[in-house]
Amino acid sequence: MNERTTRFGPEQRLAGILTEPSSGTARHGCVLVSAGLMPKAGPYRLYTELARRLAHEGIVSLRFDLGGIGESTPDASGLPLRKRTESEVRAAIDHVSAEFRLDGVTLAGLCSGAEDSLRSADLDERVSGVVMIDPFAYRAPGWFWRHALHRAGRRTLRAFGIHAPITQPGGGRSRVVKYHYMEQPEAAGILARLIERGTRLHFVYTAGVRESFNHPSELAAAFPGLDFRDRVRVDFLPHLDHTQLLAADRSTLVETIARPLRAASATFSAA
Amino acid sequence: MTQSFEESTSPLEAPGRFTESACDGRVRPALGPLPHEQFERRALVAPEATAVRFRDLSLSYAELNRRANRVAHELSARGVGRGARVVVCVEPALDVAVALLGVLKAGAVYVPLDPTYPEARMRAMLDDIEPRAVLTQEKLARKLPVSPALVLPLEYLSQALPVENPRLPVAPSDTAYVFYTSGTTGQPKGVMGSYANLRHYVGVAVEHYDIDERDVMPAIARFSFSISLFELMSPLVTGATLLVLDREHVLDAARMARSLSEVTIFHAGPSLLRGLVAHIREKYADFEAFSRVRHASSGGDTVPPELLEALKEIFANAEIFVIYGSSEISCMGCTFPVPRWRRVTRTFVGRPFDNVSVRVLDAEGSVVPAGVVGEVHFAGEGVTQGYLKRPELTAERYVELEGRRFYRMGDRGRMSRDGWLELVGRTDFQTKIRGMRVELGEVEYELRRAPGVREGVVAARSATDGEKRLVAYVVFDERAAGDAGPSRMGAVRAHLAAKLPDYMVPAVYVELERLPLNENSKVDRRALPEPNEADLRALARGSLRDAESETERALAASFRELLGLKQVSLDDNFFDLGGHSLLALRLTADVERKLGVELDGMEVLREPLEVLARICDERQGRPSLRPTAPVTRRPLERPEIFHFGPEQSLYGVLHGRALDQSETAVLVAGPVGHESARARFVLNKLGRELAREGKPTLLFDYYGCGDSLGSSADADLERWRADIRAACAELRRRTGARRVAALGVRLGALLLCDALPELDLTRLLLWDPVHDGVKHHRSLARMQRAYLKSVAHLRFFRLRAAKPPPNELLGTTFAPAALAELESLSLAPLLGRSSVDIRWLATSGADCDAALASNVGAGIAHLSVECLDVACGWCDVRALEDTIPDVGVTSALRSMLREPA
């Protein structure tokens, strides 16, 4: 595995790390899209670990800071944030495609990085796959009774002192930065187009989105008009928290993502 | 290339390198006879020499002595002698010299009273003075609110009174004068000086400025100000000629300029000098007319460097001095000889006069290290007796230190390593902006250095929301080249933003033609106007574009309401108009309530109103009325990123590049683990800001952390210390800088201190350092336990898997050896291993608050602790995933780094 710093995009203002397999020629690439204000290493180095695992599978990856985060300077064009993000992800795809002769590029991200990946995939036909960790989720029939059961269990554990939620003083912390999930109609449109295009979509849900998602079947239930065919894979890891504090959890998540990607990469190589 | 003074060698004899802010003037024996006795000798030696002139009138030394003797004999005949206060209330004329000398010869107390004062003030002062006699002029006698029996018009003095020197008894310790100064409570207070104080005052001035019988010196200051004694007495004790000028004359620049062509030495306040300089530059083709002037000095207020440069230009044959002091120390505290061969860029006030000591002390009364800001204190022969009838105030301001009596000036200053005192503001000009202490004088200091600014003051004003904001009042130099209007003011703001912590950058800018002055020719802060709408908009770009759509109008209303404005434009950015992070939260809440749309702080921070409205429309699913119109903003300089160190294993980020080896580069040893990601945003911001100040800054990730290679489980603490050393070497290699200061954050600070002896740093900043390895380990474990308990329900049936190994703490796997060594580390013994100047920033909510920090650093003279009243949440499990916003941290760190060591 080799890692090197790189700058790309307009005026070289985006900063990233390229992680390559130490041997062989990578035919598949992955762009890791950062989440929120989190720098390119990801929460608890999740992106770093994922990039190295992918290199082990023969996949080159680029993790980078979006404009204004980490070592990337902000876009001075005055365009709205979403437009800027889309152009920055496109620049990352351009860069990794120019550096390596790739057969396909997968976008991957956590939370806002997941949705930025999905939107960018919709705009760029070079994207052959999207991996989304805790993206949008919409309550579907079945969620309510599962949630009720879960709450009852949680309250029981609280009564025994096993579970103690972190209390937020004053009814919750005021955060300057808040995240908004993609609206359902927009998500449905993008999914339909990507499935039609043959893009592989990998949804990974943790307990971080339990307020909206608590069963693997829920994704399909939330989009009843869509035929997922064999293009959509859903993994639900309810014992993992949103940012995977524990190394074992991060390892589980990394494996959950890496295995299908390795398979996809092998498919490309074989082709 | 112009070299600044502070880069040069000292123009005076070098007293050696100062490590502490303590400087003593030369110790000399008491300077001979009392001033009025020195005058009598002059009258004996050169009786016919001209002693004093006023318009076409003049008096010889012999005649002035005779008249003064008559006054003294008259006072003595009335029983007015030692300790008796005699008010002298005269308009400028020859009488002022007669009265002053007469009172001193009588051994009484000279108390000048300005006849132009309002009657109520005059009455209050006379009640306080309780005069035994009032010397005045016939035309003023009836106006004085005092018993007629006490009034003695000078014109009516009997010619039959003796003219011989009276030889009345007077001791150096007797009170010689009382000068009233303005008090912060609005009540003037009388400063009592002894005959010994007066002898010192006049003596050091005459000796230091080499005044002799060839000199002609005008009396420019009002007689009610203590600096007038310098002007009145210095010529009379040396055989020189005193030139008395009336107020109209002094305030008429053309007449003053003509007068200056016949004097050899003069002193004037900076406000008066600015007007004079402007007039002379405009009206005089060359400055030959002022070639006689051999000494020009200024003081009494901050003397801007550009004014000193102008004086050098106009008075080509003169020595230029700054004089620093106050009535309480007999005016002559320090003096700064302005070098002709070097450009002055800072507000130095120099070194102490003979028999004067100066100390810069911290709040605890300890002398601060050289270069560190503290309050200026003076001791020595000039320190006066105290305040008339105000023992409590006297005890508060005149303090006992080192077994000597010191006067607290109330000025904040710092001393260079060469013993030069520089003023940076007033202690009583402090205010709090959003909970952060702001020294208005420091802001003013930078404001006056901004491009095109001739004069500037800063005031804190409350806005409609009750929040205080800083308002800068600016007078532009019309001769300076450059644009007018918003761009010019924008340049001022850009200058301040580059030089000051962001919370100290004024939010509002008001352009004035001139600053309002009070009767002392000092800036009258109470007369500064309230900012109006136009001022608030001074920084807005282009012309006003009104909100049109419903969303734009709703947002504009929120802007107006929160910022206290009447108008906002579509081009306005919330922060440019004076908004800040707390107001941004209120704005987002307001928008959510009105429009049902959540904006995030980054958008509010970055976008103008028009774009915010577009975002709201999109989130509401409505098409925006306006086409997308990019708004160009200045891009930030991108940092260089690279791998370096052993096997290129460390990730580095370099902000800026040093070209000059005299510049200081900054190494940042950041936190380890999750704290590193939390602090990344704020440390990169700090790096950008420091780079803009000319200080290249290197951030890096330790081995096995962030974007560096490896795994933290493979690194021990020695590896991370080696990383710090490698980063320091890399910084020097890449920038060429010889001087490196370092910032250590949390565990990085502890490691940095451990590696300190090998780093050769010029300064060390510590931001909430880990001070005890055991406690830090326990704190991490405690937070992790709390977090895992909060998510225990997720893995109820997987409890075994949920229990992490003991060396895994909050997302970082430590090598067992690293944890063992961490537990053996403690900050206190490491701090004393180096003599490098250490500054400690303690935020609230850290595991080591300011009080504990002071304890940890107790006994370490080169360490000082600054407290910032914000919580970074290092030990708060609820903040585990929050990026630390810039809540004043970068500002504080930049300030701590900017103060010279």
Side-chain angles (χ1 to χ4, degrees):
Chain A
M1 183 271 298
N2 298 316
E3 284 195 339
R4 58 184 162 99
T5 59
T6 184
R7 279 212 167 264
F8 59 94
E11 297 166 337
Q12 303 283 295
R13 61 179 183 77
L14 298 172
I17 304 278
L18 277 165
T19 308
E20 308 165 54
S22 52
S23 61
T25 306
R27 302 295 302 274
H28 196 83
C30 184
V31 172
L32 301 174
V33 182
S34 59
L37 292 175
M38 191 56 66
K40 55 191 169 299
Y44 307 113
R45 280 188 114 197
L46 173 68
Y47 283 18
T48 303
E49 291 176 17
L50 180 58
R52 292 174 185 177
R53 179 71 179 82
L54 293 178
H56 185 69
E57 300 296 345
I59 300 169
V60 65
S61 67
L62 170 65
R63 61 182 192 271
F64 74 105
D65 295 317
L66 288 168
I69 298 164
E71 285 73 63
S72 292
T73 54
D75 182 344
S77 68
L79 289 170
L81 197 59
R82 186 188 299 176
K83 297 280 180 204
R84 297 198 301 249
T85 303
E86 286 166 0
S87 80
E88 286 165 355
V89 175
R90 187 163 53 249
I93 299 169
D94 290 344
H95 184 60
V96 78
S97 303
E99 287 270 325
F100 304 91
R101 290 190 58 185
L102 301 176
D103 298 317
V105 174
T106 294
L107 301 181
L110 166 74
C111 196
S112 63
E115 296 196 355
D116 289 335
S117 299
L118 189 74
R119 286 197 179 100
S120 298
D122 187 30
L123 300 172
D124 196 322
E125 298 218 338
R126 290 172 293 178
V127 178
S128 57
V130 185
V131 178
M132 291 161 279
I133 312 163
D134 287 347
F136 51 78
Y138 313 102
R139 292 175 188 176
W143 177 86
F144 292 96
W145 67 262
R146 287 193 294 269
H147 187 65
L149 274 177
H150 176 76
R151 281 187 67 181
R154 205 162 58 184
R155 287 185 176 185
T156 308
L157 292 176
R158 276 170 74 175
F160 286 103
I162 296 170
H163 160 55
I166 296 172
T167 51
Q168 307 287 344
R173 293 166 66 87
S174 289
R175 292 191 182 201
V176 174
V177 178
K178 290 181 177 176
Y179 180 67
H180 301 262
Y181 283 112
M182 187 184 286
E183 296 294 332
Q184 194 166 6
E186 184 192 0
I190 296 174
L191 288 178
R193 287 191 292 277
L194 290 178
I195 291 167
E196 185 61 34
R197 205 172 79 194
T199 310
R200 286 169 293 98
L201 301 171
H202 187 180
F203 290 82
V204 182
Y205 287 104
T206 70
V209 286
R210 188 180 278 277
E211 292 303 308
S212 306
F213 189 96
N214 54 19
H215 194 272
S217 63
E218 205 174 320
L219 186 71
F223 298 99
L226 282 181
D227 178 5
F228 281 1
R229 302 179 210 167
D230 57 349
R231 292 294 167 192
V232 178
R233 175 186 173 119
V234 181
D235 279 304
F236 182 42
L237 308 172
H239 56 288
L240 264 58
D241 58 298
H242 183 54
T243 48
Q244 301 88 44
L245 180 81
L246 300 179
D249 290 352
R250 290 195 299 278
S251 179
T252 301
L253 184 65
V254 166
E255 285 304 314
T256 303
I257 294 167
R259 279 200 203 112
L261 260 180
R262 179 180 57 190
S265 172
T267 307
F268 277 111
S269 301
Chain B
M1 191 178 105
T2 310
Q3 189 182 8
S4 66
F5 166 74
E6 43 270 43
E7 292 162 7
S8 74
T9 52
S10 150
L12 295 184
E13 65 273 25
R17 301 292 286 178
F18 286 72
T19 54
E20 290 194 320
S21 297
C23 187
D24 298 324
R26 289 178 302 182
V27 179
R28 307 287 294 273
L31 299 167
L34 297 178
H36 63 278
E37 294 168 343
Q38 294 176 42
F39 166 75
E40 288 170 354
R41 289 185 183 187
R42 283 290 161 187
L44 202 62
V45 171
E48 297 312 313
T50 302
V52 55
R53 280 169 39 200
F54 174 66
R55 296 179 185 163
D56 298 331
L57 307 172
S58 66
L59 290 177
S60 68
Y61 269 82
E63 181 58 22
L64 176 58
N65 193 34
R66 280 193 290 272
R67 291 192 188 190
N69 286 342
R70 282 195 199 106
V71 171
H73 284 295
E74 174 67 26
L75 291 173
S76 182
R78 291 177 175 227
V80 177
R82 295 168 69 178
R85 291 185 282 275
V86 177
V87 165
V88 174
C89 183
V90 293
E91 287 183 347
L94 301 175
D95 294 337
V96 66
V98 174
L100 168 61
L101 287 169
V103 173
L104 296 178
K105 280 167 175 268
V109 182
Y110 169 72
V111 191
L113 186 66
D114 194 320
T116 63
Y117 281 166
E119 187 183 333
R121 184 181 175 90
M122 203 179 275
R123 190 184 299 278
M125 288 175 66
L126 285 165
D127 286 348
D128 193 50
I129 296 165
E130 296 182 295
R132 293 283 300 280
V134 178
L135 294 175
T136 185
Q137 292 152 327
E138 192 265 338
K139 59 186 174 184
L140 301 174
R142 273 169 295 178
K143 295 180 185 172
L144 290 171
V146 68
S147 165
L150 298 177
V151 177
L152 183 57
L154 289 162
E155 295 92 330
Y156 296 163
L157 276 181
S158 170
Q159 295 296 312
L161 285 165
V163 295
E164 294 80 26
N165 293 335
R167 305 287 171 219
L168 295 168
V170 58
S173 58
D174 289 346
T175 303
Y177 58 84
V178 175
F179 278 91
Y180 277 81
T181 68
S182 61
T184 50
T185 59
Q187 292 296 316
K189 51 187 190 287
V191 179
M192 300 185 294
S194 67
Y195 277 83
N197 291 146
L198 181 60
R199 178 174 60 190
H200 163 82
Y201 179 175
V202 178
V204 293
V206 165
E207 183 160 319
H208 207 97
Y209 302 131
D210 202 18
I211 302 170
D212 63 26
E213 66 276 6
R214 292 167 294 182
D215 282 317
V216 177
M217 184 171 190
I220 293 173
R222 288 171 185 264
F223 304 138
S224 52
F225 298 156
S226 55
I227 193 66
S228 66
L229 284 180
F230 170 44
E231 299 171 323
L232 294 173
M233 291 303 293
S234 299
L236 295 179
V237 302
T238 53
T241 300
L242 165 66
L243 182 63
V244 177
L245 305 172
D246 56 37
R247 293 313 298 163
E248 293 74 22
H249 188 126
V250 169
L251 298 175
D252 183 334
R255 290 173 71 188
M256 267 308 286
R258 284 197 294 276
S259 295
L260 289 184
S261 65
E262 56 178 309
V263 306
T264 59
I265 175 169
F266 75 94
H267 176 89
S271 298
L272 185 76
L273 280 178
R274 280 191 202 100
L276 257 179
V277 163
H279 172 83
I280 290 171
R281 278 177 158 165
E282 184 184 341
K283 299 293 182 187
Y284 286 73
D286 62 49
F287 307 132
E288 185 59 32
F290 309 104
S291 60
R292 286 191 66 194
V293 177
R294 65 165 195 82
H295 167 113
S297 58
S298 187
D301 207 342
T302 306
V303 188
E306 59 274 16
L307 181 60
L308 294 173
E309 291 299 313
L311 292 178
K312 281 158 61 175
E313 180 191 356
I314 293 170
F315 304 104
N317 297 329
E319 288 183 289
I320 313 292
F321 289 89
V322 176
I323 298 176
Y324 171 56
S326 70
S327 299
E328 288 86 345
I329 59 162
S330 310
C331 294
M332 297 292 155
C334 282
T335 187
F336 174 57
V338 180
R340 280 218 167 260
W341 58 94
R342 298 281 185 271
R343 190 170 57 85
V344 179
T345 58
R346 289 159 67 171
T347 51
F348 281 112
V349 293
R351 291 198 191 121
F353 285 93
D354 293 347
N355 296 336
V356 173
S357 298
V358 62
R359 304 281 184 272
V360 182
L361 306 179
D362 62 18
E364 281 74 41
S366 303
V367 176
V368 300
V372 175
V373 173
E375 185 175 3
V376 180
H377 289 61
F378 277 98
E381 283 193 17
V383 176
T384 54
Q385 297 169 315
Y387 297 110
L388 180 66
K389 301 179 183 175
R390 309 278 288 273
E392 301 85 6
L393 188 61
T394 301
E396 182 192 328
R397 306 297 301 179
Y398 295 79
V399 294
E400 199 77 14
L401 295 163
E402 307 172 5
R404 304 170 69 190
R405 194 159 174 265
F406 276 83
Y407 175 71
R408 297 170 50 198
M409 293 292 284
D411 287 324
R412 283 162 57 78
R414 62 182 158 219
M415 193 174 285
S416 73
R417 288 198 185 274
D418 290 325
W420 298 101
L421 185 65
E422 181 186 13
L423 298 185
V424 296
R426 286 281 301 173
T427 54
D428 48 7
F429 282 177
Q430 286 181 357
T431 188
K432 279 205 164 187
I433 299 295
R434 306 200 299 280
M436 286 171 278
R437 195 178 64 195
V438 172
E439 174 61 51
L440 294 182
E442 195 177 347
V443 184
E444 289 179 358
Y445 173 81
E446 289 299 345
L447 178 63
R448 293 187 190 116
R449 290 160 61 117
V453 173
R454 199 175 82 203
E455 296 174 87
V457 292
V458 176
R461 301 276 190 186
S462 289
T464 51
D465 57 2
E467 295 253 12
K468 260 200 261 181
R469 294 195 183 92
L470 292 181
V471 181
Y473 295 88
V474 182
V475 178
F476 283 106
D477 184 350
E478 295 307 327
R479 297 180 324 110
D483 299 332
S487 62
R488 187 160 63 166
M489 203 61 100
V492 173
R493 182 174 177 156
H495 171 85
L496 294 177
K499 297 287 183 184
L500 292 171
D502 40 15
Y503 67 92
M504 289 174 71
V505 176
V508 182
Y509 294 74
V510 180
E511 183 174 352
L512 299 177
E513 281 186 19
R514 68 182 73 84
L515 296 178
L517 301 181
N518 61 19
E519 60 197 13
N520 306 349
S521 297
K522 291 186 178 181
V523 176
D524 186 351
R525 291 171 184 273
R526 284 173 299 184
L528 290 168
E530 285 289 339
N532 59 29
E533 191 76 12
D535 303 320
L536 290 164
R537 301 205 44 73
L539 290 173
R541 290 159 279 120
S543 56
L544 204 67
R545 291 200 298 137
D546 286 333
E548 290 176 7
S549 73
E550 190 184 327
T551 311
E552 289 168 351
R553 282 199 295 272
L555 276 173
S558 296
F559 271 44
R560 285 197 300 269
E561 193 179 318
L562 290 167
L563 299 171
L565 303 176
K566 288 179 185 164
Q567 272 185 300
V568 290
S569 167
L570 288 172
D571 295 319
D572 284 333
N573 173 277
F574 189 73
F575 282 76
D576 283 350
L577 287 180
H580 51 74
S581 53
L582 298 180
L583 279 179
L585 281 175
R586 287 169 59 183
L587 178 72
T588 53
D590 203 33
V591 170
E592 188 172 3
R593 197 182 67 247
K594 284 178 180 169
L595 302 175
V597 168
E598 280 190 67
L599 288 173
D600 81 43
M602 292 296 276
E603 290 164 339
V604 176
L605 181 77
R606 294 173 176 183
E607 313 289 17
L609 190 151
E610 182 180 2
V611 177
L612 289 179
R614 205 185 298 149
I615 292 168
C616 289
D617 283 339
E618 284 173 11
R619 295 213 173 126
Q620 288 177 313
R622 288 196 303 217
S624 177
L625 294 179
R626 293 179 186 280
T628 302
V631 184
T632 304
R633 290 171 180 278
R634 186 171 61 87
L636 296 173
E637 186 146 337
R638 59 182 167 82
E640 194 179 345
I641 56 172
F642 47 87
H643 278 109
F644 70 99
E647 297 172 344
Q648 300 290 299
S649 58
L650 302 176
Y651 175 73
V653 182
L654 179 65
H655 291 272
R657 288 178 185 81
L659 299 173
D660 185 344
Q661 292 190 337
S662 66
E663 296 289 348
T664 299
V666 181
L667 170 70
V668 178
V672 171
H674 76 288
E675 290 179 342
S676 172
R678 291 194 60 211
R680 193 64 162 220
F681 173 79
V682 77
L683 290 179
N684 265 318
K685 182 168 186 279
L686 176 70
R688 279 197 304 273
E689 292 171 352
L690 289 174
R692 250 185 273 152
E693 288 178 7
K695 298 183 183 74
T697 302
L698 177 72
L699 282 66
F700 71 98
D701 288 328
Y702 302 94
Y703 182 77
C705 300
D707 289 312
S708 286
L709 298 185
S711 160
S712 58
D714 299 329
D716 57 12
L717 295 196
E718 177 48 35
R719 167 70 211 231
W720 287 343
R721 278 191 293 269
D723 292 348
I724 292 175
R725 291 192 290 270
C728 192
E730 186 71 12
L731 176 63
R732 290 180 198 274
R733 191 183 71 75
R734 284 183 179 262
T735 63
R738 290 180 184 159
R739 296 164 56 84
V740 173
L743 163 67
V745 190
R746 303 290 291 150
L747 184 54
L750 185 61
L751 296 170
L752 186 60
C753 289
D754 205 10
L756 200 53
E758 303 154 80
L759 294 177
D760 189 23
L761 302 176
T762 57
R763 171 162 294 200
L764 177 61
L765 303 187
L766 307 175
W767 170 18
D768 288 331
V770 168
H771 68 101
D772 183 318
V774 174
K775 286 185 178 169
H776 183 59
H777 185 183
R778 288 181 188 163
S779 170
L780 294 177
R782 188 173 54 246
M783 287 172 70
Q784 175 158 285
R785 276 197 303 276
Y787 182 82
L788 291 178
K789 197 167 183 185
S790 75
V791 295
H793 61 288
L794 301 181
R795 51 188 86 223
F796 182 59
F797 299 107
R798 303 185 186 213
L799 279 177
R800 290 170 67 87
K803 199 167 185 180
N807 61 327
E808 192 187 327
L809 295 164
L810 293 178
T812 303
T813 305
F814 290 84
L819 278 183
E821 195 189 347
L822 174 64
E823 295 216 331
S824 70
L825 277 182
S826 177
L827 186 63
L830 303 178
L831 293 175
R833 287 166 49 192
S834 165
S835 60
V836 67
D837 181 38
I838 304 174
R839 312 291 300 273
W840 180 325
L841 178 68
T843 64
S844 57
D847 47 356
C848 189
D849 61 11
L852 184 54
S854 297
N855 278 342
V856 172
I860 296 166
H862 50 91
L863 181 144
S864 63
V865 177
E866 297 264 335
C867 182
L868 187 65
D869 190 19
V870 297
C872 295
W874 297 117
C875 303
D876 184 354
V877 68
R878 295 165 307 189
L880 206 55
E881 293 157 17
D882 288 354
T883 294
I884 296 174
D886 185 16
V887 281
V889 172
T890 61
S891 310
L893 291 172
R894 283 170 57 204
S895 292
M896 291 162 75
L897 202 60
R898 208 170 45 235
E899 288 161 12

